[in-house]
Amino acid sequence: MQIYKVGGAVRDRLLGLPVTDIDWVVVGATTEEMLTKGFRPVGADFPVFLHPGTGEEYALARTERKSGRGYGGFTFHASPEVTLEEDLIRRDLTINAMAEDGQQNLTDPYHGQRDLENRILRHVSPAFAEDPLRVLRVARFAARYAALGFTVAPETLELMRQLSESGELEALTAERSWKEISRALMEDQPHVFIQTLRDCGALKVLMPEVDALFGVPQPEAHHPEIDSGIHTLSVLEQAAQHQQPLTVRWACLLHDLGKGLTPEEEWPRHIAHEHKGLKLIKAVNERFKAPKDCQDLALLVGQYHTHGHRALELKASTLLELLQSFDVYRRPQRFEEFIVACEMDARGRKGLEQRSYPQADYLRGAAKVAREVAVQPLLEKGFRGPELGEALKRERLKALKTYKDTASA
């Protein structure tokens, strides 16, 4: 039995990056031997075990053969006869197909170290094209390592393009797709993930609503970058630079989908794009079964982001309706995420990345004023049920009018 550290742990050590997760491959062992040594089996698909002490994953060396469509369409074969090289060749990228023993002696049959040095993301073998999930994975690695200068090898991009055109991407489950998308959006440069998907034709398959934004012009006075797709990438880039959570990043990606529906004869204006985009945002949310907090914020940002930009001009009654829509009294964090999404939208414009956004503090102040309206005095006046709700609304409107007058004085 020989044990090797493999994959990301080896890659990141060689890059001088922190190593978080460690995966191990066991060569020359049987399931029975692993159980005898106290390892606990996990998963039904192939022999993976948890170490009795550390809880880390140890997998028996295995080969795989394509047997159906999609990510799960593989038959695995694990036995003591499978070599380390045979196990490594089934992996996606050369930089993930290296192993090292306990003395850090490197096994690198597919030149992953050379590709690390040359900053290249390259597939290990033609079998890469058998797994559609690898299109998303490579795009995610492109986003993760873009700051280090990594690019996708042309021949790998071509295989990704072939996969995108094959219909295999449609076989991916919503859960597997969302896992890769959500991880990619939380990388330092998530816009590279979207751009890479577009470069290989996968964006058109997975998110045609986002792909449709590219080439659609906007008024140059408000959008010096002009192109709606480029703007979306810039907004996502700003969200990452400001270390926003997944909910905000997802909303930033989808906020302008309605612009893709504007007839060409109406360009570069996009009247009512906020309302038109809601059905598209809902469709993307459902396609990937995004978590409810991501779904809700994306829809709210899509519908109300122009309200955010015009916050200083809104009538007190419109401001109150906006606050009610977000349920700021019970869900203050959601309104805060809306505010920062609007700010990322305002900054995601060529040359305006450092612009001030006074609307943010103005909206925060409005929410604070509305929340501070006390219920007790109204109860003491005898208001109950629906009448109490109306009275509370009147008091909040009065407070917002005072706030608005004071802010504009």
Side-chain angles (χ1 to χ4, degrees), residues 171-190:
L172 290 174
T173 65
E175 291 78 10
R176 289 299 309 180
S177 296
W178 176 255
K179 184 176 180 181
E180 289 297 327
I181 290 167
S182 59
R183 289 178 71 185
L185 289 180
M186 291 309 294
E187 299 290 358
D188 288 341
Q189 297 198 33

Side-chain angles (χ1 to χ4, degrees), residues 70-71 92-93 96 121 128-145 152 156-157 159-164 168-187 189-208 250 253 284 287-288:
Y71 166 76
D92 50 7
L93 298 172
N96 296 330
L121 300 174
F128 174 94
E130 295 177 350
D131 184 355
L133 190 68
R134 288 175 169 176
V135 172
L136 289 164
R137 276 178 55 83
V138 173
R140 174 165 63 82
F141 281 119
R144 175 181 296 179
Y145 295 119
V152 181
T156 302
L157 198 66
L159 277 183
M160 292 165 68
R161 186 176 293 110
Q162 291 173 19
L163 261 174
S164 300
E168 280 275 325
L169 289 178
E170 288 94 326
L172 290 174
T173 65
E175 291 78 10
R176 289 299 309 180
S177 296
W178 176 255
K179 184 176 180 181
E180 289 297 327
I181 290 167
S182 59
R183 289 178 71 185
L185 289 180
M186 291 309 294
E187 299 290 358
Q189 297 198 33
H191 61 287
V192 174
F193 171 72
I194 300 298
Q195 184 62 59
T196 304
L197 291 181
R198 185 162 188 268
D199 291 343
C200 70
L203 190 63
K204 189 187 302 182
V205 178
L206 296 167
M207 298 185 203
W250 183 241
L253 177 63
V284 178
R287 184 177 311 135
F288 298 110

Side-chain angles (χ1 to χ4, degrees), residues 25 39 45 61 84 107 141 152 155 171 178 201-202 226 234 258 266 311 331 354 359 393:
V25 160
F39 283 82
D45 293 338
L84 179 61
T107 299
F141 281 119
V152 181
E155 62 271 28
W178 176 255
I226 300 177
S234 298
E266 295 179 17
R331 303 280 301 277
Q354 303 303 319
Q359 296 93 323
K393 194 173 178 181

Side-chain angles (χ1 to χ4, degrees), residues 269-389:
R269 301 178 69 205
H270 298 279
I271 299 168
H273 75 276
E274 307 89 348
H275 177 72
K276 292 175 183 174
L278 294 180
K279 63 182 179 182
L280 301 183
I281 295 171
K282 188 176 181 183
V284 178
N285 276 336
E286 291 177 352
R287 184 177 311 135
F288 298 110
K289 296 182 180 177
K292 192 172 188 308
D293 56 348
C294 288
Q295 293 199 29
D296 290 347
L297 187 68
L299 286 164
L300 287 164
V301 171
Q303 184 170 0
Y304 293 113
H305 63 276
T306 48
H307 277 53
H309 301 329
R310 294 175 47 245
L312 303 174
E313 308 159 27
L314 297 180
K315 295 185 295 185
S317 57
T318 308
L319 200 52
L320 179 60
E321 288 172 11
L322 179 66
L323 296 174
Q324 304 273 80
S325 298
F326 279 84
D327 191 9
V328 294
Y329 318 108
R330 292 181 300 177
R331 303 280 301 277
Q333 183 58 31
R334 185 167 65 179
F335 191 60
E336 174 60 28
E337 291 181 352
F338 164 74
I339 292 171
V340 296
C342 290
E343 184 170 357
M344 298 307 100
D345 181 24
R347 290 175 181 268
R349 305 171 194 224
K350 188 177 179 182
L352 301 175
E353 294 84 0
Q354 303 303 319
R355 76 191 309 185
S356 62
Y357 195 70
Q359 296 93 323
D361 284 340
Y362 180 79
L363 287 169
R364 290 185 184 107
K368 184 173 184 288
V369 162
R371 279 198 299 268
E372 286 177 348
V373 172
V375 179
Q376 191 59 36
L378 299 175
L379 290 171
E380 291 170 0
K381 289 180 180 179
F383 289 107
R384 295 292 185 275
E387 289 184 349
L388 175 62

Side-chain angles (χ1 to χ4, degrees), residues 315-317 319 362 365-366 369 373 394-409:
K315 295 185 295 185
S317 57
L319 200 52
Y362 180 79
V369 162
V373 172
R394 286 195 298 272
E395 290 301 311
R396 285 168 174 162
L397 182 58
K398 194 187 302 180
L400 285 171
K401 283 180 178 175
T402 302
Y403 172 74
K404 184 172 175 60
D405 291 342
T406 304
S408 60

Side-chain angles (χ1 to χ4, degrees), residues 3-19:
I3 297 175
Y4 298 89
K5 190 182 294 183
V6 294
V10 180
R11 175 197 70 225
D12 287 346
R13 184 186 71 78
L14 292 172
L15 283 171
L17 299 175
V19 173

